Amino acid sequence: QHRHTANYAPPKLLIVAIDPGTSGHKVGIAFTYILWGRYDQAITVLQKTDLHQRDNLSSLAYAYASKGMKTKALEIIKQLKDYPKQNLYDLALIYGVLGEDDQAFVLLEKVLQKRGKSIVLLKVDPRLHRLRLVPQFMTLLKKIGLEQ
């Protein structure tokens, strides 16, 4: 679980006061809820986004996976695989939180091979916290020179 003080207001939540309607802001708010372990709230917010957009749909799958709703997350993964341009990094994140480490690392390796820009997030993306405990993660970091 992620810990925050009761008075901490993440910047993503402040966006809602400025422009609560845009999909990107809703995803940011949902991500904050996920970090706080408030999965139901994250799912509610994400269900109100345009789920025809791949990134919104993958965020919803990640929220379901984080809550332990594996079946729902896998259903969305099937939908995401139908998109002509897949976001392999996002799929790896979902598989990682589901505990399907081998599949997550296969996808992260593909991101690396394709020189995907998301690969630079490996050391800092909080959604990878569980995968960082797996020895394969350090191997991947070494391949891209981020092991230090």
Side-chain angles (χ1 to χ4, degrees), residues 49-83:
T49 64
D50 179 1
L51 294 176
H52 292 99
Q53 291 185 21
R54 181 196 66 200
D55 294 341
N56 296 343
L57 196 56
S58 64
S59 295
L60 181 59
Y62 184 84
Y64 282 139
S66 297
K67 188 177 178 190
M69 299 174 73
K70 186 173 185 171
T71 302
K72 284 205 176 242
L74 290 174
E75 286 172 7
I76 293 175
I77 286 174
K78 285 181 188 176
Q79 293 175 43
L80 290 169
K81 288 182 177 180
D82 289 338
Y83 277 77

Side-chain angles (χ1 to χ4, degrees), residues 1 6 35 43 46 49-50 53 58 66 74 81-82 91 96 99 105 124 128 132 148:
Q1 288 287 349
L35 289 177
I43 290 166
L46 290 166
T49 64
D50 179 1
Q53 291 185 21
S58 64
S66 297
L74 290 174
K81 288 182 177 180
D82 289 338
L91 289 172
F105 283 108
V124 296
L128 291 166
R132 286 191 185 96
Q148 296 180 1

Side-chain angles (χ1 to χ4, degrees), residues 111-140:
V111 173
L112 177 60
Q113 290 167 4
K114 292 182 177 194
R115 299 183 185 271
K117 61 183 178 180
S118 301
I119 206 72
V120 299
L121 300 173
L122 284 179
K123 283 186 82 168
V124 296
D125 191 334
R127 296 172 293 177
L128 291 166
H129 68 278
R130 207 192 65 67
L131 287 177
R132 286 191 185 96
L133 304 173
V134 179
Q136 288 170 275
F137 192 82
M138 187 55 73
T139 303
L140 191 60

